[in-house]
Amino acid sequence: MNKPPTGEDLLTFFKSLDEFTPSLPDSLTAHYLAQAGLHTSDPRIIRLVSLAAQKFVTEVAADALVHSTMRGNPSTGGSKKSRDKRNYLTVEDLQPALADMGVNIKKPAYYM
């Protein structure tokens, strides 16, 4: 069983955030935090939120890939002789992946 982190573990983790470079730029995360009403000058808080967002996006993408492979990914396009094995991210793959995370999205009924 996992034991709760100690104060020393948390201190080490927060120090390691100084060296961590997230996929999302700090300025982007700070902008959206400010829009949400959180104004902070501590870069560790901004990087912690960036890390959480990166983890969320990674898990959603991995789940969408699983859903895509389970349904056979008919959206690859082209002929059957094509050797193109690329996967395409579609709304049909994202819907169940995001629903597992508690986010419900709906595709509009009509596209122009």
Side-chain angles (χ1 to χ4, degrees):
M1 239 181 150
N2 291 343
K3 60 179 182 170
T6 63
E8 193 173 301
D9 294 337
L10 291 175
L11 196 61
T12 305
F13 174 70
F14 271 116
K15 286 181 182 177
S16 70
L17 283 176
D18 291 332
E19 299 167 6
F20 175 71
T21 305
S23 297
L24 299 172
D26 289 343
S27 59
L28 179 71
T29 305
H31 170 74
Y32 282 108
L33 285 176
Q35 275 192 333
L38 179 67
H39 301 281
T40 181
S41 60
D42 189 357
R44 295 175 299 178
I45 299 297
I46 294 170
R47 290 206 175 143
L48 182 63
V49 172
S50 292
L51 179 63
Q54 182 176 335
K55 182 180 184 309
F56 177 78
V57 169
T58 302
E59 287 182 358
V60 168
D63 286 348
L65 179 62
V66 168
H67 288 287
S68 174
T69 55
M70 283 189 339
R71 68 179 180 88
N73 199 7
S75 64
T76 55
S79 66
K80 291 182 180 180
K81 294 179 183 178
S82 175
R83 293 186 179 181
D84 188 11
K85 301 273 185 195
R86 287 185 270 177
N87 290 320
Y88 298 93
L89 184 63
T90 63
V91 175
E92 288 80 17
D93 300 328
L94 276 176
Q95 280 177 335
L98 286 170
D100 291 344
M101 302 285 185
V103 179
N104 294 319
I105 61 169
K106 292 189 179 179
K107 185 177 176 180
Y110 181 74
Y111 282 111
M112 288 186 76

